[in-house]
Amino acid sequence: HPVIELTGARKTYHTGDIEFEALRGIDCRIFPGEYVAIVGPSGSGKSTLMNILGCLDVLTEGSYILAGEDVSTMDENALASARNRRIGFVFQQFHLLASLTALGNVELPLMYAGVAPSERHERALHALERVGLADKSRNHPGQLSGGQQQRVAIARALVTEPAIVLADEPTGNLDSHSTEDVLGMLDDLHSEGSTIVLITHESDVARRASTVYNVTDGQFVGAGTEIAK
Ligand code: ADP
Ligand code: ADP
């Protein structure tokens, strides 16, 4: 079964009397273990799509089935619950809390999920090990490089064992060395079986994925392109 199934997905924004259709009928199926990149220029609808896929916003028309659950008809509470259970987010601006250690940041989603302290600690350490940062667990974000901070954010995304990791321009704020570091990390997660959706305007970054969808003016152009490795 697909982990993500979008059918006839449309999103219309209203600004005063003006309507703008940001997503214009997108169909997409993403299967467990796939590494998908969604690539397109600024204004093409990528953030809108990311907000839909991440259960941060709902469609105007069409359906979205996430891990077998129809999230397109959910109210806000149910949507928030689906988001917390199913999605691990990685953002361009890391969004780490400066006052917490790396470990503390990775523990946060487990705290929100009501996991007991000792289990939280153990799972967060394991997630930091997966991203190769166990030795930095006591460092604060300000004591880490950009690439290392993004690895902490990836550990935080993974710690709840989400159905998908949704990464929005994860290398947008990084120099070329750290970009390679983070993309290598995503390659590793993919080979370990994680399902990854990467949103980017950079086609070089998109080529790291196994399937690439090109979005233009709120539509997918052409079928998903499988990247030969
Ligand atoms: P991208 O992430 O590819 O830059 P977006 O999804 O942010 O694209 O935006 C797609 C289009 O939708 C743009 O034309 C943008 O101006 C419009 N848009 C995005 N968000 C809103 C909003 N909240 N209200 C009205 N228009 C919006
Ligand atoms: P940008 O790509 O412009 O830097 P971000 O990556 O910061 O934007 O955020 C992408 C989207 O995710 C935005 O729509 C934002 O509102 C939302 N978002 C940002 N931070 C969080 C968060 N901590 N939890 C949930 N949603 C967030």
Side-chain angles (χ1 to χ4, degrees):
H1 297 287
V3 62
I4 283 177
E5 196 168 8
L6 275 180
T7 310
R10 292 179 180 272
K11 178 70 184 179
T12 306
Y13 291 115
H14 298 267
T15 312
D17 294 342
I18 300 165
E19 276 193 5
F20 184 83
E21 204 172 30
L23 299 182
R24 301 192 295 149
I26 288 183
D27 296 302
C28 178
R29 290 161 146 235
I30 298 174
F31 288 87
E34 250 191 292
Y35 180 3
V36 168
I38 294 170
V39 62
S42 185
S44 58
K46 299 185 301 300
S47 296
T48 300
L49 186 56
M50 140 105 192
N51 288 341
I52 297 293
L53 293 178
C55 300
L56 295 160
D57 202 354
V58 290
L59 292 170
T60 312
E61 213 180 293
S63 77
Y64 177 22
I65 314 284
L66 171 62
E69 275 187 295
D70 187 348
V71 297
S72 40
T73 56
M74 283 182 177
D75 65 24
E76 232 165 271
N77 287 334
L79 197 66
S81 161
R83 175 165 73 234
N84 293 331
R85 283 179 290 119
R86 307 289 194 198
I87 316 277
F89 289 98
V90 179
F91 299 104
Q92 178 170 358
Q93 333 270 2
F94 325 135
H95 291 300
L96 298 175
L97 294 185
S99 59
L100 296 180
T101 62
L103 190 70
N105 272 284
V106 177
E107 279 189 43
L108 270 185
L110 298 176
M111 207 167 91
Y112 295 136
V115 176
S118 61
E119 185 187 337
R120 224 149 69 196
H121 188 86
E122 201 169 305
R123 285 172 64 180
L125 254 185
H126 179 67
L128 280 172
E129 273 165 20
R130 284 187 71 184
V131 302
L133 277 184
D135 60 329
K136 304 285 185 195
S137 65
R138 289 166 182 278
N139 287 54
H140 285 76
Q143 301 167 315
L144 298 171
S145 72
Q148 288 172 334
Q149 289 183 58
Q150 196 58 300
R151 281 175 180 240
V152 173
I154 292 170
R156 181 185 55 189
L158 290 171
V159 76
T160 55
E161 295 171 31
I164 59 167
V165 171
L166 196 50
D168 185 15
E169 302 281 4
T171 60
N173 263 338
L174 299 175
D175 61 27
S176 57
H177 176 78
S178 294
T179 291
E180 195 44 50
D181 185 40
V182 165
L183 293 179
M185 188 70 250
L186 294 178
D187 291 344
D188 291 347
L189 295 179
H190 176 224
S191 53
E192 290 165 17
S194 295
T195 311
I196 303 169
V197 177
L198 169 73
I199 295 183
T200 182
H201 69 278
E202 293 180 85
S203 42
D204 282 350
V205 170
R207 269 192 283 279
R208 303 293 284 255
S210 49
T211 309
V212 177
Y213 292 101
N214 289 287
V215 55
T216 302
D217 295 335
Q219 288 182 306
F220 281 177
V221 188
T225 306
E226 286 184 29
I227 305 293
K229 295 278 162 171

